[in-house]
């Protein structure tokens, strides 16, 4: 009788343990993925807050059933070096993933790509040391420094992505370049419609980023 009772207690205890483990797995899957977008004025946005890329991206991801929060850490005029200087302040250790979109102002300012590369490499090393998933975004830009300058930057972005084995988007603003209907009157920054076009373009790779971020749990 005692033996039967002992077996019954053991079975009940195992059932509780299995139920607890299953419940924890569900909660882990449902846990909110915290994403930070660090960049310049393209990320910060020159439109109403609700139309800016980070908020529109969060809306789009939630519409697809993703449990996420997307923080806007864009600052107009930021170079890669300025982004590095504030990285630890805006990317907390509980961040799961970071979208790095810096380099546009470096290109416009005539910086050499190696200068920008050094700052971006330091950002990537910082994030990887903290086991934060990363999506690196390059950028297209019309500058006064010629096509060779632009090609050098494109090669620099791609090279960094290969070296650090991270997700890569060659140009975050590709969806709006050369389309006056998707840019502001300055012809540089995306307008509200342009931001939605950018979000639609980057959505699949951001979902891949979320998959990578969940592995850190």
């Amino acid at each position: 009788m005692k033996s039967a009772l002992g077996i019954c207690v053991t079975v009940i205890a195992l059932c509780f343990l299995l139920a607890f483990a299953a419940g924890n797995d569900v909660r882990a899957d449902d846990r909110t993925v915290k994403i930070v977008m660090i960049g310049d004025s393209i990320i910060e946005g020159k439109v109403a807050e609700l139309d800016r890329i980070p908020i529109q991206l969060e809306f789009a991801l939630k519409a697809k059933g993703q449990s996420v929060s997307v923080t806007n850490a864009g600052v107009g005029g930021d170079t890669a070096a300025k982004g590095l200087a504030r990285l630890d302040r805006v990317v907390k250790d509980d961040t799961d993933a970071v979208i790095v979109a810096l380099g546009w102002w470096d290109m416009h300012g005539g910086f050499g790509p190696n200068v920008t590369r050094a700052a971006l490499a330091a950002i990537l090393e910082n994030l990887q040391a903290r086991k934060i998933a990363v999506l690196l975004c390059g950028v297209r830009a019309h500058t006064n420094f010629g096509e060779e300058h632009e090609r050098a930057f494109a090669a620099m972005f791609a090279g960094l992505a290969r070296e650090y084995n991270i997700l890569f988007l060659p140009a975050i603003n590709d969806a709006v370049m050369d389309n006056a209907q998707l840019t502001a009157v300055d012809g540089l920054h995306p307008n509200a419609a342009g931001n939605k076009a950018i979000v639609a373009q980057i959505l699949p790779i951001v979902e891949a980023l979320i998959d990578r971020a969940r592995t850190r749990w």
Side-chain angles (χ1 to χ4, degrees):
M1 185 72 173
K2 288 183 179 179
S3 176
L5 181 61
I7 291 172
C8 185
V9 169
T10 301
V11 169
I12 292 171
L14 284 171
C15 288
F16 273 115
L17 284 172
L18 289 171
F20 178 77
N24 276 357
D25 287 342
V26 170
R27 284 192 291 274
D29 290 341
D30 289 344
R31 195 185 116 181
T32 298
V33 176
K34 298 179 181 178
I35 302 172
V36 174
M37 297 191 76
I38 184 167
D40 48 41
S41 50
I42 292 179
I43 301 303
E44 181 187 31
K46 297 298 183 181
V47 294
E49 187 172 357
L50 285 178
D51 291 322
R52 296 176 185 178
I53 290 173
I55 289 181
Q56 287 298 314
L57 179 60
E58 183 175 313
F59 287 163
L61 289 167
K62 286 181 174 178
K64 298 197 73 174
Q66 297 280 7
S67 180
V68 297
S69 67
V70 183
T71 298
N72 188 339
V75 173
D78 252 16
T79 60
K82 288 181 179 179
L84 172 62
R86 62 189 177 89
L87 182 68
D88 287 335
R89 187 171 72 254
V90 298
V91 179
K92 307 299 183 184
D93 285 339
D94 65 348
T95 302
D96 298 301
V98 171
I99 299 172
V100 180
L102 291 160
W104 188 38
W105 282 109
D106 300 60
M107 294 177 71
H108 275 285
F111 289 25
N114 287 338
V115 174
T116 305
R117 187 193 184 286
L120 289 174
I123 289 172
L124 300 179
E125 288 169 11
N126 176 301
L127 297 175
Q128 289 195 329
R130 291 194 274 162
K131 301 187 185 305
I132 297 173
V134 182
L135 166 59
L136 175 65
C137 299
V139 66
R140 287 177 60 198
H142 296 313
T143 72
N144 295 320
F145 301 98
E147 291 183 4
E148 185 176 343
H149 178 73
E150 295 173 27
R151 284 196 298 268
F153 266 85
M156 178 272 293
F157 285 122
L160 274 175
R162 286 193 301 270
E163 179 179 342
Y164 288 91
N165 190 29
I166 55 176
L167 292 171
F168 177 56
L169 186 70
I172 191 169
N173 62 337
D174 195 51
V176 303
M177 285 292 288
D178 307 316
N179 188 334
Q181 293 185 330
L182 297 178
T183 54
V185 291
D186 63 8
L188 298 174
H189 296 89
N191 57 24
N195 284 341
K196 289 179 174 64
I198 288 173
V199 168
Q201 173 195 2
I202 70 175
L203 194 59
I205 199 168
V206 175
E207 289 191 285
L209 177 69
I210 291 170
D211 289 340
R212 289 196 180 190
R214 290 190 185 278
T215 64
R216 85 183 214 123
W217 300 348

